[in-house]
Amino acid sequence: MLSLFIHFRFLDLIDILLVTVIFYEIYNLVKGTVALNIFIGIFIIFIVFLVVKALKMELLGSILGQLFGVGAIAIIIVFQQEVRRFLLMLGSRNRSNRKFSFESLFSSQFKFASESGLHAIVDACRQMSLSRTGALIVLARESELREYIESGEIIDADITVELLKNIFFKNAPLHDGAVIIGLNRIKAARCILPVSQNLGISPVLGLRHRAAIGISEQTDAYVIVVSEETGRISTATNGKLTEEISADELFRILETNGE
């Protein structure tokens, strides 16, 4: 036992810390979802494998080693949404930490809407909130959301208050689903979004709010929801829902997150 501490190196400490950080980040990604139970099961098997390997139990160690070798592909399939979110998180952090980039020279081209477009979005949400018209608006950022745009009806029109209100009018043919906005254009309407499987979401929230959380979990999009029942405005980003914000607060938030 003493020999283990004698041969313990500084690099071993770094190794342990890195593994701890990785497992912690994975836990944060699957926390509150069905995948959490799978993750705990895999973690327990991994700990057993390390113990078996340390005790030099060759037969059991060989079986568990083969299990991990084949199971790696299965894990990627089971956790495909979580892997996607993890890679997106890494990419987003990398881009946000760059002080200078080619895109910064032409930042206006990469905003999801111009100032007039933001005013149109906020004014439409304010009016729909007063009339309790349900709405689901997805604002694309780095991700172009092509697969979701293609699931709906292509519009490719200027952002106006009247058009947004007409799309979400209760008897309009395009009112179901989401509107996707990108590069200062209304790209599509009646788009189908993934519904969040997070078990921690309040049961009071309907499919519109769950879809908003779902798309924000899987992409870097910023999502606006107007409740049909209460008229309240909510926003979703990075899998988190912020409820009951005013139209003025919405404009400030969009102005900050639109770059």
Side-chain angles (χ1 to χ4, degrees):
M1 183 66 69
L2 182 60
S3 62
L4 292 176
F5 289 97
I6 293 176
H7 293 90
F8 189 82
R9 303 171 300 165
F10 179 70
L11 288 177
D12 295 326
L13 176 61
I14 295 178
D15 187 25
I16 294 172
L17 290 176
L18 288 176
V19 172
T20 303
V21 170
I22 291 173
F23 273 102
Y24 177 72
E25 291 292 345
I26 294 175
Y27 171 76
N28 284 334
L29 286 175
V30 302
K31 181 174 61 177
T33 67
V34 177
L36 177 60
N37 295 330
I38 301 175
F39 171 73
I40 293 174
I42 293 174
F43 181 75
I44 292 173
I45 295 175
F46 178 70
I47 295 298
V48 172
F49 174 69
L50 292 180
V51 173
V52 168
K53 190 176 180 181
L55 295 175
K56 297 183 179 180
M57 301 172 67
E58 300 295 338
L59 181 58
L60 186 56
S62 176
I63 294 174
L64 291 176
Q66 292 295 326
L67 178 63
F68 273 106
V70 177
I73 299 176
I75 290 172
I76 293 175
I77 295 174
V78 171
F79 290 100
Q80 57 180 320
Q81 293 185 3
E82 285 72 22
V83 170
R84 183 176 180 177
R85 287 170 55 194
F86 181 69
L87 296 176
L88 177 63
M89 178 186 66
L90 290 179
S92 300
R93 288 182 179 178
N94 179 58
R95 299 183 71 89
S96 63
N97 289 333
R98 289 187 298 177
K99 295 182 179 179
F100 178 80
S101 67
F102 177 79
E103 294 174 346
S104 65
L105 297 175
F106 306 96
S107 59
S108 61
Q109 297 180 13
F110 292 90
K111 292 182 178 180
F112 48 61
S114 63
E115 185 172 355
S116 61
L118 293 182
H119 279 293
I121 294 170
V122 172
D123 288 343
C125 289
R126 179 188 289 110
Q127 295 181 34
M128 290 187 289
S129 174
L130 293 174
S131 62
R132 295 193 177 184
T133 301
L136 180 56
I137 303 174
V138 181
L139 305 174
R141 293 200 276 193
E142 299 295 342
S143 175
E144 296 182 7
L145 309 178
R146 289 185 181 180
E147 58 183 298
Y148 302 108
I149 291 174
E150 292 172 356
S151 71
E153 298 293 332
I154 305 299
I155 295 179
D156 193 26
D158 292 333
I159 305 172
T160 64
V161 176
E162 292 75 15
L163 181 54
L164 287 173
K165 288 174 60 181
N166 284 334
I167 289 174
F168 289 112
F169 179 67
K170 189 172 183 179
N171 295 324
L174 299 179
H175 81 280
D176 281 332
V179 161
I180 296 180
I181 295 176
L183 296 178
N184 204 35
R185 304 282 290 178
I186 297 178
K187 297 291 187 178
R190 204 171 68 178
C191 299
I192 301 173
L193 304 183
V195 178
S196 176
Q197 301 299 317
N198 192 330
L199 301 179
I201 297 176
S202 171
V204 177
L205 299 177
L207 288 177
R208 187 176 283 115
H209 289 82
R210 287 182 174 272
I213 297 172
I215 189 67
S216 72
E217 287 175 340
Q218 299 188 24
T219 70
D220 63 343
Y222 202 89
V223 193
I224 306 170
V225 185
V226 180
S227 172
E228 186 175 352
E229 289 74 21
T230 64
R232 294 170 181 169
I233 301 174
S234 304
T235 60
T237 182
N238 296 325
K240 297 181 180 179
L241 185 71
T242 302
E243 301 183 76
E244 296 186 47
I245 63 174
S246 67
D248 292 335
E249 289 174 326
L250 178 61
F251 181 80
R252 288 194 294 270
I253 292 171
L254 295 184
E255 199 173 30
T256 302
N257 290 275
E259 299 180 354

